[in-house]
């Protein structure tokens, strides 16, 4: 919905060529191996994202490096990650809702519960804490329809000045990410 509203390209952050390997790695228990797979997929997606941005096309993705790092670290991964400077800097939205509503939504999903989904439910506080370190617009979706959430996102200042956004640059927390430069003026951002 956001991609259509922004007239942007929707780029999957786990490209199709990774799906067979994803299924194999997700069936195993090694959190570092899983993190490496997802990082590899994200680097591949980032190249595609940068090509679109270079062509002046806006991009929307469902998740990016913050999600991968926050989730895998909450699950116990201890790999150090230094992102290259060319990684596109996103305008990120962290959609949150009341816990009872979240539980209802999870039950209503048309998706089988994986071992990793179950594990992440045991460390949600750690994931939430990790997300606080990333610059994001936090949007409460409690009691809102998808159309209402879209309107809130569309009304949010995408330059980071919104009152609910953490405007501290990505990389300000060296234990999470290195500095990621902003694009030069005139370049569209995701």
């Amino acid at each position: 919905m956001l991609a259509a509203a922004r007239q942007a390209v929707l780029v999957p952050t786990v490209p199709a060529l990774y799906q067979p390997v994803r299924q194999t790695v997700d069936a195993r228990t090694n959190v570092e191996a899983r993190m490496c797979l997802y990082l590899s997929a994200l680097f591949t997606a980032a190249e595609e994202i940068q090509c679109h941005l270079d062509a002046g096309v806006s991009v929307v993705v469902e998740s990016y490096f913050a999600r991968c790092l926050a989730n895998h670290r909450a699950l116990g991964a201890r790999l150090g990650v230094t992102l290259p400077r060319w990684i596109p800097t996103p305008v990120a939205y962290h959609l949150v809702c009341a816990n009872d509503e979240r539980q209802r939504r999870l039950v209503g999903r048309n998706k089988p519960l994986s071992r990793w989904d179950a594990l992440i439910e045991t460390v949600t506080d750690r994931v939430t804490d990790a997300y606080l370190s990333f610059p994001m617009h936090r949007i409460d979706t409690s009691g809102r329809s998808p159309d209402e959430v879209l309107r809130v996102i569309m009304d949010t200042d995408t330059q980071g000045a919104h009152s609910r956004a953490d405007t501290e640059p990505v990389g300000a927390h060296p234990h999470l990410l290195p500095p990621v430069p902003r694009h030069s003026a005139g370049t569209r951002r995701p």
Side-chain angles (χ1 to χ4, degrees):
M1 289 172 63
L2 181 59
R6 290 245 168 102
Q7 298 179 341
V9 171
L10 179 61
V11 174
T13 51
V14 180
L17 68 106
Y18 281 85
Q19 292 303 329
V21 178
R22 176 187 186 180
Q23 291 173 357
T24 300
V25 171
D26 277 354
R28 298 183 178 262
T29 61
N30 187 318
V31 69
E32 278 85 7
R34 186 173 189 269
M35 182 177 178
C36 287
L37 171 74
Y38 280 81
L39 285 170
S40 179
L42 284 163
F43 284 122
T44 300
E47 288 177 342
E48 181 181 350
I49 291 165
Q50 190 60 57
C51 287
H52 287 297
L53 295 174
D54 290 346
V57 177
S58 293
V59 175
V60 170
V61 297
E62 78 278 4
S63 67
Y64 205 50
F65 288 94
R67 180 178 182 195
C68 177
L69 295 172
N71 282 312
H72 286 95
R73 289 206 172 116
L75 290 170
R78 298 292 172 240
L79 295 175
V81 177
T82 302
L83 297 176
R85 295 193 174 276
W86 64 264
I87 297 293
T89 303
V91 173
Y93 303 94
H94 184 189
L95 306 181
V96 298
C97 65
N99 192 50
D100 60 333
E101 185 165 342
R102 182 174 177 277
Q103 293 306 316
R104 277 193 311 276
R105 290 177 185 180
L106 288 172
V107 168
R109 276 187 175 175
N110 187 17
K111 175 188 175 223
L113 184 68
S114 75
R115 173 187 176 284
W116 295 101
D117 294 330
L119 279 174
I120 209 70
E121 288 303 309
T122 67
V123 292
T124 55
D125 289 342
R126 282 193 245 162
V127 174
T128 299
D129 290 345
Y131 270 129
L132 294 175
S133 300
F134 295 96
M136 297 181 182
H137 297 276
R138 285 162 185 82
I139 298 174
D140 188 351
T141 66
S142 298
R144 291 184 168 145
S145 70
D147 286 329
E148 291 168 324
V149 173
L150 177 63
R151 279 194 297 277
V152 171
I153 291 171
M154 295 298 290
D155 290 343
T156 302
D157 178 2
T158 60
Q159 297 307 310
H162 192 275
S163 63
R164 283 180 258 160
D166 175 357
T167 59
E168 192 169 4
V170 172
H173 306 279
H175 63 285
L176 292 174
L177 289 173
V180 178
R182 303 287 180 200
H183 289 288
S184 59
T187 303
R188 289 186 184 189
R189 296 170 46 185

